[in-house]
Amino acid sequence: MPRPDLLNPLFRSLKSMKGVGPQLGALFAKFFGAPDGQDAVVLDVLFHMPSGVIDRRAQNGIAFTPVGSIATLKLHIDEHIVPPRGNTRTPLRVKAHDESGEITLVFFGAKGGWVERALPIGETRYVSGEIGFFGHDKQMTHPDYIVEPEKLDTLPMVEPVYPLTHGLSSKVLRRVILASLETLPIIPEWIGKDRRMLLGWPGFTEALRHVHAPERPSEGDIVSPSRMRLAYDEYLAGQLALAIIRATMVQSKGIERHFTGIIANRIEEALPFALTDGQRQAFEDIKTDIASPHRMSRLLQGDVGSGKTVVALLAMATIAESGAQSALMAPTELLAAQHYRTIQPLCEKAGLNCILMTGKMPAAERRKAIAGLENGTIQIAVGTHALFQSSVAFKNLGLTVVDEQHRFGVHQRLALSDKGNRTELLVMTATPIPRTLVLTHFGDMDVSVLREKPAGRQPVDTAVLSSSEYDRVINRLAARLEEGAQAYWVCPLVEESETLDVVSAEDRFAALKDAFGDKVALVHGRMSATQKQEVMEGFQAGDTQILVATTVIEVGVDVPNATIMIIEHAERFGLAQLHQLRGRVGRGSARSACLLLYNEPLSETAKARLETIKNTEDGFLIAEKDLELRGQGDLLGTRQSGMPGYRLAVPDVHKHLLEFAHEDARALLDRNPGLTGPEGEAIRTLLYLFRKDLAIPLIKAG
């Protein structure tokens, strides 16, 4: 269904508006993040929320306006004091008075006589701006508004303030927004009347008017009924899109798979440890999903080292029992190789054929692997997204397992599941994600959580030290290396920075090499994949004892013998990052230690972060705290990964509305799965407004 015609005025290019030329149009496109080669549209400015409100209603007279306040004054213009010619540093001053006192209006660099024309001597003008003080006199520097008495109604008494970008003035933005409000069509209502009455929420169009052209400051406030309404609408559109995708992937088509449990049992018997209760429960959830006629779409959340790979292997064994194949996809070749090393010996004992597909495979080996996947003799393929290239065909792909999901958006989830015939989808993430974010990004998936660490995993002793203790750290480290220990040393930057006073990985590598010689290796993100792989393999094999690194080691490298993690400038890392890095040690049977070195002075937030890491190893507690200290935007690397950032909703303030929208979206689709009738039409309009219309073609008729 095409976009409803009534929304066309909102999707018009801003360049079609009076006063928006090519230059301003290009600025808007960049500011609002329009896709390459496209213009920003009217809706973009309407969805640009104010950060505050200026109240110009106070008209108490010069004597009664406090310094620092915004005031609107009715002034009699008395005199212009023009600076001597050629003197550009002295401002032009205009003396004026009202019944209560006198004031000076100050203009720097005023050229072309416009001030004299705007404020003619002997006449009355309304001026509005911030009251300042100079010597003993009140003054106003560059008033925001100067209007003639008969045009007082053009002066905005309550004025929203907007985030701006270089080259865009608030006057221009405000003009474009007010012109955009004029074009707002009458939009069908998607929120029930009872709900709106109960919460005191206005209609959608009315809410936008309140926010952009408020009559009282409270109307545009972040917790006003209008802002609440708009935040809820944005959440509802997002949750509906996820729910529709879920319905498409899960309800529509699936295969009731039959399995015996024989191969899974063999794998369990081959494990060197007993499964945790969490692993058992997750596996039970997965078996239920696989046996049902619906498609599995499950997120397996577990902290670093909680044993997700084993659960995934049991799932793949179950799929093999049903006669189908599985693919395990990791974000890097290093991680794919590691998964392969974990599961290959277990597969062998259970009689499963498992291969590792990488970009560097010799051609003959690759041909053999592709043939095995095509004829079904290989049951499990491990690799990067190269597994999903068109040259790779599976005989019967029944399960896709994706590791480190937050690098895959919803669209990739859909594309992956198209490769097989009604494939089940299991996604694993080592980032403990708080409930609000699970709803935002994975509202279309069921969730299993692994909370305990497998038996035999040791807690990690965490200490916090000032970097002034560097020499002590080196002596202690030397003693541990003598005993055969291995250590990571993590720095925030690759090379020296002119702007930041931070020890770089390269500098630290040089210093440690002086102390420990060839025992030290360096790895960072600017190295080629091959170089990184070589260094990591050397460390894994024990050829080097200290690995100096940037955060490239955050995800997934497994070296059980490494028992020391030193993080330099720990104050510069986020909580989730510190937690992930610490998870690199404590993987063997020996006690491990993590040392957080910080530089003075510490901010309150940094102090709170380091305290949290020192006091707990529970990734979920840490993630909740991270959300509190940092806000939602960065937590999943939203900025980079095309995750839904919000424009109208402010998660810290409006997050209670997300649960609300999640339940409403599911209830709505249960009640009206085809989105038919007036209600369906209103909901489709909502999806178009919030650019979630990619979900619309997926809606099942009936």
Side-chain angles (χ1 to χ4, degrees), residues 9-28:
L10 299 178
F11 285 90
R12 237 173 64 214
S13 160
L14 283 174
K15 286 186 189 162
S16 67
M17 296 186 76
K18 195 175 160 212
V20 180
Q23 208 175 348
L24 190 54
L27 186 68
F28 275 137

PDB file of all heavy atoms in Angstrom, residues 9-28:
ATOM      1  N   PRO A   9       2.061  16.361   2.231  1.00  0.00           N
ATOM      2  CA  PRO A   9       2.655  17.659   2.618  1.00  0.00           C
ATOM      3  C   PRO A   9       3.809  17.501   3.615  1.00  0.00           C
ATOM      4  O   PRO A   9       4.722  18.321   3.647  1.00  0.00           O
ATOM      5  CB  PRO A   9       1.501  18.415   3.281  1.00  0.00           C
ATOM      6  CG  PRO A   9       0.249  17.693   2.920  1.00  0.00           C
ATOM      7  CD  PRO A   9       0.608  16.311   2.489  1.00  0.00           C
ATOM      8  N   LEU A  10       3.798  16.430   4.422  1.00  0.00           N
ATOM      9  CA  LEU A  10       4.833  16.260   5.447  1.00  0.00           C
ATOM     10  C   LEU A  10       6.100  15.642   4.869  1.00  0.00           C
ATOM     11  O   LEU A  10       7.166  15.709   5.471  1.00  0.00           O
ATOM     12  CB  LEU A  10       4.313  15.379   6.590  1.00  0.00           C
ATOM     13  CG  LEU A  10       3.103  15.940   7.332  1.00  0.00           C
ATOM     14  CD1 LEU A  10       2.633  14.964   8.403  1.00  0.00           C
ATOM     15  CD2 LEU A  10       3.442  17.287   7.968  1.00  0.00           C
ATOM     16  N   PHE A  11       5.971  15.008   3.681  1.00  0.00           N
ATOM     17  CA  PHE A  11       7.145  14.396   3.065  1.00  0.00           C
ATOM     18  C   PHE A  11       7.664  15.235   1.894  1.00  0.00           C
ATOM     19  O   PHE A  11       8.439  14.765   1.081  1.00  0.00           O
ATOM     20  CB  PHE A  11       6.825  12.951   2.635  1.00  0.00           C
ATOM     21  CG  PHE A  11       6.775  12.009   3.815  1.00  0.00           C
ATOM     22  CD1 PHE A  11       5.588  11.789   4.499  1.00  0.00           C
ATOM     23  CD2 PHE A  11       7.929  11.389   4.270  1.00  0.00           C
ATOM     24  CE1 PHE A  11       5.547  10.947   5.603  1.00  0.00           C
ATOM     25  CE2 PHE A  11       7.898  10.543   5.373  1.00  0.00           C
ATOM     26  CZ  PHE A  11       6.713  10.322   6.048  1.00  0.00           C
ATOM     27  N   ARG A  12       7.203  16.490   1.838  1.00  0.00           N
ATOM     28  CA  ARG A  12       7.697  17.434   0.828  1.00  0.00           C
ATOM     29  C   ARG A  12       9.114  17.869   1.206  1.00  0.00           C
ATOM     30  O   ARG A  12       9.411  18.061   2.389  1.00  0.00           O
ATOM     31  CB  ARG A  12       6.804  18.668   0.851  1.00  0.00           C
ATOM     32  CG  ARG A  12       6.151  19.020  -0.450  1.00  0.00           C
ATOM     33  CD  ARG A  12       5.163  20.144  -0.264  1.00  0.00           C
ATOM     34  NE  ARG A  12       5.825  21.369   0.155  1.00  0.00           N
ATOM     35  CZ  ARG A  12       5.277  22.265   0.975  1.00  0.00           C
ATOM     36  NH1 ARG A  12       4.077  22.069   1.482  1.00  0.00           N
ATOM     37  NH2 ARG A  12       5.921  23.364   1.298  1.00  0.00           N
ATOM     38  N   SER A  13       9.959  18.062   0.190  1.00  0.00           N
ATOM     39  CA  SER A  13      11.316  18.541   0.470  1.00  0.00           C
ATOM     40  C   SER A  13      11.250  19.922   1.118  1.00  0.00           C
ATOM     41  O   SER A  13      10.424  20.764   0.744  1.00  0.00           O
ATOM     42  CB  SER A  13      12.095  18.642  -0.838  1.00  0.00           C
ATOM     43  OG  SER A  13      13.196  19.506  -0.656  1.00  0.00           O
ATOM     44  N   LEU A  14      12.120  20.169   2.075  1.00  0.00           N
ATOM     45  CA  LEU A  14      12.163  21.496   2.710  1.00  0.00           C
ATOM     46  C   LEU A  14      12.526  22.578   1.698  1.00  0.00           C
ATOM     47  O   LEU A  14      12.188  23.736   1.869  1.00  0.00           O
ATOM     48  CB  LEU A  14      13.189  21.502   3.854  1.00  0.00           C
ATOM     49  CG  LEU A  14      12.737  20.835   5.160  1.00  0.00           C
ATOM     50  CD1 LEU A  14      13.881  20.780   6.156  1.00  0.00           C
ATOM     51  CD2 LEU A  14      11.563  21.579   5.781  1.00  0.00           C
ATOM     52  N   LYS A  15      13.224  22.161   0.623  1.00  0.00           N
ATOM     53  CA  LYS A  15      13.612  23.146  -0.401  1.00  0.00           C
ATOM     54  C   LYS A  15      12.394  23.745  -1.101  1.00  0.00           C
ATOM     55  O   LYS A  15      12.494  24.776  -1.756  1.00  0.00           O
ATOM     56  CB  LYS A  15      14.523  22.498  -1.445  1.00  0.00           C
ATOM     57  CG  LYS A  15      15.931  22.230  -0.946  1.00  0.00           C
ATOM     58  CD  LYS A  15      16.757  21.725  -2.116  1.00  0.00           C
ATOM     59  CE  LYS A  15      18.113  21.215  -1.685  1.00  0.00           C
ATOM     60  NZ  LYS A  15      18.684  20.363  -2.723  1.00  0.00           N
ATOM     61  N   SER A  16      11.232  23.053  -1.000  1.00  0.00           N
ATOM     62  CA  SER A  16      10.047  23.599  -1.669  1.00  0.00           C
ATOM     63  C   SER A  16       9.402  24.707  -0.828  1.00  0.00           C
ATOM     64  O   SER A  16       8.415  25.301  -1.230  1.00  0.00           O
ATOM     65  CB  SER A  16       9.025  22.477  -1.902  1.00  0.00           C
ATOM     66  OG  SER A  16       8.533  22.034  -0.645  1.00  0.00           O
ATOM     67  N   MET A  17       9.963  24.979   0.359  1.00  0.00           N
ATOM     68  CA  MET A  17       9.380  26.007   1.217  1.00  0.00           C
ATOM     69  C   MET A  17      10.008  27.354   0.936  1.00  0.00           C
ATOM     70  O   MET A  17      11.185  27.458   0.586  1.00  0.00           O
ATOM     71  CB  MET A  17       9.581  25.637   2.691  1.00  0.00           C
ATOM     72  CG  MET A  17       8.851  24.360   3.051  1.00  0.00           C
ATOM     73  SD  MET A  17       8.930  24.011   4.795  1.00  0.00           S
ATOM     74  CE  MET A  17       7.747  25.168   5.412  1.00  0.00           C
ATOM     75  N   LYS A  18       9.196  28.379   1.135  1.00  0.00           N
ATOM     76  CA  LYS A  18       9.650  29.745   0.874  1.00  0.00           C
ATOM     77  C   LYS A  18      10.847  30.064   1.771  1.00  0.00           C
ATOM     78  O   LYS A  18      10.835  29.774   2.971  1.00  0.00           O
ATOM     79  CB  LYS A  18       8.482  30.694   1.203  1.00  0.00           C
ATOM     80  CG  LYS A  18       8.664  32.081   0.670  1.00  0.00           C
ATOM     81  CD  LYS A  18       7.429  32.919   0.938  1.00  0.00           C
ATOM     82  CE  LYS A  18       7.810  34.397   0.863  1.00  0.00           C
ATOM     83  NZ  LYS A  18       7.049  35.244   1.729  1.00  0.00           N
ATOM     84  N   GLY A  19      11.894  30.618   1.154  1.00  0.00           N
ATOM     85  CA  GLY A  19      13.041  31.042   1.959  1.00  0.00           C
ATOM     86  C   GLY A  19      14.063  29.948   2.236  1.00  0.00           C
ATOM     87  O   GLY A  19      15.065  30.186   2.892  1.00  0.00           O
ATOM     88  N   VAL A  20      13.798  28.714   1.738  1.00  0.00           N
ATOM     89  CA  VAL A  20      14.812  27.666   1.911  1.00  0.00           C
ATOM     90  C   VAL A  20      15.467  27.423   0.554  1.00  0.00           C
ATOM     91  O   VAL A  20      14.903  26.765  -0.310  1.00  0.00           O
ATOM     92  CB  VAL A  20      14.192  26.348   2.446  1.00  0.00           C
ATOM     93  CG1 VAL A  20      15.277  25.281   2.618  1.00  0.00           C
ATOM     94  CG2 VAL A  20      13.487  26.591   3.765  1.00  0.00           C
ATOM     95  N   GLY A  21      16.653  27.981   0.373  1.00  0.00           N
ATOM     96  CA  GLY A  21      17.368  27.813  -0.897  1.00  0.00           C
ATOM     97  C   GLY A  21      18.236  26.570  -0.860  1.00  0.00           C
ATOM     98  O   GLY A  21      18.213  25.810   0.111  1.00  0.00           O
ATOM     99  N   PRO A  22      19.043  26.367  -1.932  1.00  0.00           N
ATOM    100  CA  PRO A  22      19.894  25.173  -2.017  1.00  0.00           C
ATOM    101  C   PRO A  22      20.853  25.050  -0.827  1.00  0.00           C
ATOM    102  O   PRO A  22      21.076  23.968  -0.294  1.00  0.00           O
ATOM    103  CB  PRO A  22      20.689  25.393  -3.311  1.00  0.00           C
ATOM    104  CG  PRO A  22      19.918  26.402  -4.088  1.00  0.00           C
ATOM    105  CD  PRO A  22      19.135  27.227  -3.120  1.00  0.00           C
ATOM    106  N   GLN A  23      21.421  26.211  -0.389  1.00  0.00           N
ATOM    107  CA  GLN A  23      22.416  26.174   0.688  1.00  0.00           C
ATOM    108  C   GLN A  23      21.787  25.713   2.004  1.00  0.00           C
ATOM    109  O   GLN A  23      22.283  24.802   2.668  1.00  0.00           O
ATOM    110  CB  GLN A  23      22.984  27.584   0.861  1.00  0.00           C
ATOM    111  CG  GLN A  23      24.392  27.583   1.386  1.00  0.00           C
ATOM    112  CD  GLN A  23      24.954  29.018   1.433  1.00  0.00           C
ATOM    113  OE1 GLN A  23      24.377  29.948   0.882  1.00  0.00           O
ATOM    114  NE2 GLN A  23      26.070  29.174   2.110  1.00  0.00           N
ATOM    115  N   LEU A  24      20.671  26.327   2.350  1.00  0.00           N
ATOM    116  CA  LEU A  24      19.974  25.978   3.594  1.00  0.00           C
ATOM    117  C   LEU A  24      19.420  24.550   3.488  1.00  0.00           C
ATOM    118  O   LEU A  24      19.451  23.779   4.454  1.00  0.00           O
ATOM    119  CB  LEU A  24      18.845  26.987   3.851  1.00  0.00           C
ATOM    120  CG  LEU A  24      18.163  26.936   5.210  1.00  0.00           C
ATOM    121  CD1 LEU A  24      19.169  27.037   6.339  1.00  0.00           C
ATOM    122  CD2 LEU A  24      17.141  28.077   5.347  1.00  0.00           C
ATOM    123  N   GLY A  25      18.941  24.198   2.288  1.00  0.00           N
ATOM    124  CA  GLY A  25      18.423  22.842   2.061  1.00  0.00           C
ATOM    125  C   GLY A  25      19.492  21.794   2.335  1.00  0.00           C
ATOM    126  O   GLY A  25      19.244  20.779   2.983  1.00  0.00           O
ATOM    127  N   ALA A  26      20.723  22.070   1.854  1.00  0.00           N
ATOM    128  CA  ALA A  26      21.835  21.121   2.052  1.00  0.00           C
ATOM    129  C   ALA A  26      22.194  21.025   3.536  1.00  0.00           C
ATOM    130  O   ALA A  26      22.493  19.947   4.058  1.00  0.00           O
ATOM    131  CB  ALA A  26      23.047  21.578   1.246  1.00  0.00           C
ATOM    132  N   LEU A  27      22.150  22.177   4.212  1.00  0.00           N
ATOM    133  CA  LEU A  27      22.454  22.213   5.655  1.00  0.00           C
ATOM    134  C   LEU A  27      21.438  21.371   6.433  1.00  0.00           C
ATOM    135  O   LEU A  27      21.799  20.569   7.296  1.00  0.00           O
ATOM    136  CB  LEU A  27      22.425  23.670   6.132  1.00  0.00           C
ATOM    137  CG  LEU A  27      22.860  23.925   7.573  1.00  0.00           C
ATOM    138  CD1 LEU A  27      24.347  23.661   7.736  1.00  0.00           C
ATOM    139  CD2 LEU A  27      22.564  25.366   7.974  1.00  0.00           C
ATOM    140  N   PHE A  28      20.158  21.536   6.094  1.00  0.00           N
ATOM    141  CA  PHE A  28      19.096  20.756   6.762  1.00  0.00           C
ATOM    142  C   PHE A  28      19.280  19.254   6.509  1.00  0.00           C
ATOM    143  O   PHE A  28      19.134  18.433   7.405  1.00  0.00           O
ATOM    144  CB  PHE A  28      17.712  21.183   6.253  1.00  0.00           C
ATOM    145  CG  PHE A  28      17.142  22.382   6.974  1.00  0.00           C
ATOM    146  CD1 PHE A  28      16.506  23.410   6.267  1.00  0.00           C
ATOM    147  CD2 PHE A  28      17.212  22.486   8.360  1.00  0.00           C
ATOM    148  CE1 PHE A  28      15.965  24.507   6.937  1.00  0.00           C
ATOM    149  CE2 PHE A  28      16.667  23.575   9.028  1.00  0.00           C
ATOM    150  CZ  PHE A  28      16.048  24.592   8.318  1.00  0.00           C
TER     151      PHE A  28
END
